[in-house]
Amino acid sequence: MSLPRMRLASWIRSGPLLYDIDTRMPCRTERVCSLEQLICDWAAEQAPCRAPADPIVRPREPVVTRVAGSVECAANDGAHEPLSFPAEFIIVPMNRTRIPIFVVLIAALKQVSSSALHAAEGDSLPADLALQPSHIVVSPWEQHLPATKRQGVAGIECTAKGRLWTVYGRDVESSRNFQIVRSSDDDGRSWSPVRLMILPRAGTRAMSASVWIDPQGRLWLFWGQSAGMQDGRFGVWAIVCDDPDAAAPRWSAPRRIGDGILLNKPTVLTNGDWLLTSSVWKADNSIKVYASVDQGKTFQLRGTANIEDARSRGPDEPMIVERKDGSLWMMVRCRGLAETISHDHGRTWTPVQHIAMQHPTSRFFLRRLQSGALLLVKHGRLNEKVKREKLMAFVSDDDGRTWQGGLMLDEREDVTYPDGVQAADGTIRIIYDHQRTPLGEVLMATFTEEDVRAGKPSGELVRLRVEVDRLPRTD
């Protein structure tokens, strides 16, 4: 078989290009010192096939995510202009092309050409792997997805055109934690294969992910990183898709926003500021509030909140809503539920204090609806002490002082970690997990505000326990 010979020509800065790749090629994630050698290795494994008469590499549209640096690959015959693409990323098989081309992840840039890289980048990647971005794998082959016996901790979003996006973890609550992203174009009745995988570097975990549509319609994918299980610092990372309704969505390079774990959606204030809440678990001033005043171009630490009783500290999992009087109300997971208030747009916060509402030590969901009411999804009724069971929805018309309704979403044990979104038509969708092991079910509930107020299903839109994913059955 004839392949155009490729070479590492020089280090340059350039935007990502995508090359159509033969679907017969395996998707590899490797550290290589010779691109030529990898192509030769791949070619030796393939069955003979006829090369096209006109072996020209034709770039079409980006499908790769740039992380750092770039490397030039060019045909050695001198007949074509050099083609450039970023050096540290993963390119996966997309569709058949006129020639089989293999492009690879170069994960350890210093192994390829340390001095050349430093000349191009100006400095080296940090030695701390948790401060380096996870690998972003677009459209991985199913056989390249690591097997798992535990999955859950899901997030959900809905685009303006109705496409649903979800992210959830596999090997959750372990040092091998990684994240997968899927989508649905039929209101969750069916879901795509894995569209993107966040694969952490050795010795680190990619954890506690969430998805969020910003006011510009862009889809943000957040996740946390830690060296080992808990490194006392963590880190909030994000990539952004400008057109989440596209047939082949394109993602930005990963960026680190700050310390902590951001599990819940950001909040946009009436003045246009974006607030992101993260937590550095079990530390003083553990709750971090990051702000962006330029629609996500930059983020700055605006304030912190402190849980004074060290025995009550944990993952925190804070969520903010802006009250009608302009104050900010933050609810916190804190051996039950707790709260803190800010009157200066998040710069200072009152000490975190427990509230009377009963709740197990687990995630909740709090969000303002289009009607102006607040939606709260929690375990059990307001004053009912329960375990991680009886996932219910309530609404409040007075900014959380009183609550009405009580729609039962799932009464079973081991239903946990709700996240939600309200679509433009008013439909509410809550995603959660059930028995992360051995079932590993990721489920969705669909309903309206009227159903919550009635405390029972009252319309045709209600669908409960809709399966998004589950682990393979072993019986």
Side-chain angles (χ1 to χ4, degrees):
M1 123 187 226
S2 174
L3 284 174
R5 289 184 55 80
M6 311 291 282
R7 60 187 172 86
L8 294 177
S10 63
W11 292 99
I12 61 173
R13 287 184 177 273
S14 66
L17 290 177
L18 170 67
Y19 301 86
D20 288 324
I21 301 172
D22 195 309
T23 54
R24 292 168 295 179
M25 293 193 308
C27 171
R28 296 190 180 183
T29 303
E30 297 195 20
R31 299 182 180 187
V32 298
C33 295
S34 169
L35 184 60
E36 289 183 336
Q37 184 61 50
L38 184 63
I39 293 175
C40 292
D41 290 346
W42 171 78
E45 297 172 1
Q46 309 306 306
C49 65
R50 180 183 301 175
D54 181 21
I56 300 178
V57 182
R58 301 185 183 277
R60 294 193 177 177
E61 56 179 320
V63 296
V64 302
T65 299
R66 181 168 59 88
V67 177
S70 59
V71 63
E72 178 180 290
C73 280
N76 261 350
D77 56 11
H80 306 293
E81 292 297 319
L83 297 172
S84 303
F85 61 89
E88 185 172 286
F89 56 83
I90 293 174
I91 296 193
V92 300
M94 296 296 292
N95 50 25
R96 294 186 182 276
T97 186
R98 303 174 63 191
I99 56 174
I101 303 295
F102 202 132
V103 222
V104 298
L105 162 71
I106 302 178
L109 297 180
K110 61 183 180 181
Q111 293 183 7
V112 181
S113 176
S114 178
S115 59
L117 173 62
H118 293 171
E121 290 296 316
D123 55 9
S124 61
L125 290 171
D128 188 337
L129 289 178
L131 293 178
Q132 298 182 31
S134 294
H135 304 308
I136 307 303
V137 190
V138 178
S139 299
W141 285 29
E142 182 178 356
Q143 59 266 38
H144 294 142
L145 294 171
T148 183
K149 295 183 179 179
R150 189 176 183 88
Q151 72 176 4
V153 189
I156 191 169
E157 257 297 356
C158 181
T159 68
K161 295 182 180 180
R163 173 177 286 176
L164 300 180
W165 286 91
T166 184
V167 60
Y168 48 95
R170 289 185 170 170
D171 281 353
V172 293
E173 298 165 323
S174 82
S175 58
R176 303 176 303 278
N177 206 172
F178 66 99
Q179 304 293 318
I180 61 172
V181 177
R182 301 172 68 195
S183 65
S184 172
D185 290 321
D186 58 6
D187 194 21
R189 290 173 175 83
S190 64
W191 292 84
S192 70
V194 174
R195 303 193 67 159
L196 183 145
M197 177 168 59
I198 302 173
L199 192 64
R201 296 169 185 267
T204 67
R205 59 190 296 221
M207 56 191 291
S208 302
S210 63
V211 281
W212 176 60
I213 299 286
D214 71 18
Q216 288 70 47
R218 299 172 296 186
L219 177 65
W220 290 68
L221 172 57
F222 300 97
W223 71 95
Q225 284 188 195
S226 171
M229 286 293 290
Q230 300 180 26
D231 61 10
R233 175 190 59 202
F234 302 102
V236 179
W237 290 79
I239 56 177
V240 184
C241 175
D242 289 339
D243 184 7
D245 285 306
R250 298 162 55 179
W251 297 89
S252 68
R255 56 188 290 204
R256 190 179 191 275
I257 293 174
D259 292 348
I261 296 294
L262 183 151
L263 178 62
N264 297 313
K265 290 177 171 61
T267 299
V268 180
L269 305 186
T270 53
N271 68 358
D273 291 358
W274 297 5
L275 298 187
L276 282 64
T277 55
S278 73
S279 171
V280 179
W281 299 352
K282 304 178 181 180
D284 292 340
N285 297 305
S286 59
I287 300 172
K288 314 292 183 185
V289 179
Y290 291 93
S292 176
V293 297
D294 53 13
Q295 300 180 338
K297 294 179 181 178
T298 60
F299 291 89
Q300 300 293 329
L301 180 64
R302 174 170 287 187
T304 63
N306 188 47
I307 300 173
E308 295 181 345
D309 182 3
R311 297 170 298 178
S312 296
R313 294 173 178 171
D316 301 337
E317 296 165 0
M319 298 194 76
I320 292 176
V321 293
E322 184 177 18
R323 285 175 162 167
K324 296 172 185 177
D325 64 3
S327 64
L328 303 183
W329 180 39
M330 181 194 296
M331 287 186 69
V332 181
R333 165 185 165 173
C334 183
R335 288 196 177 181
L337 294 177
E339 67 178 4
T340 175
I341 310 295
S342 174
H343 295 281
D344 54 8
H345 296 101
R347 291 173 176 82
T348 60
W349 295 85
T350 61
V352 177
Q353 300 289 334
H354 283 94
I355 61 177
M357 187 183 298
Q358 294 291 319
H359 200 255
T361 303
S362 188
R363 185 188 190 184
F364 57 91
F365 177 74
L366 178 69
R367 206 70 174 168
R368 191 172 294 280
L369 299 176
Q370 296 164 6
S371 67
L374 294 182
L375 173 69
L376 174 66
V377 179
K378 64 178 292 292
H379 293 279
R381 299 198 172 274
L382 301 176
N383 297 312
E384 182 182 13
K385 190 173 183 178
V386 299
K387 301 180 292 185
R388 291 186 171 189
E389 60 185 357
K390 297 182 179 179
L391 205 58
M392 302 183 70
F394 301 86
V395 292
S396 173
D397 296 313
D398 55 10
D399 279 343
R401 292 172 178 84
T402 62
W403 297 90
Q404 294 80 44
L407 177 64
M408 181 67 74
L409 306 181
D410 199 327
E411 74 280 1
R412 297 173 296 174
E413 293 185 2
D414 296 327
V415 289
T416 62
Y417 272 54
D419 183 51
V421 63
Q422 186 177 33
D425 64 1
T427 303
I428 301 168
R429 297 177 179 86
I430 297 294
I431 199 167
Y432 60 98
D433 58 53
H434 173 235
Q435 289 193 14
R436 295 174 187 171
T437 188
L439 299 182
E441 288 184 321
V442 178
L443 304 172
M444 184 180 72
T446 301
F447 53 92
T448 66
E449 181 179 337
E450 289 70 29
D451 299 313
V452 179
R453 292 185 181 276
K456 60 181 180 180
S458 59
E460 297 179 354
L461 289 177
V462 177
R463 293 186 296 143
L464 304 179
R465 300 188 189 180
V466 178
E467 183 176 298
V468 176
D469 197 7
R470 64 172 294 148
L471 296 178
R473 300 180 187 273
T474 58
D475 51 29

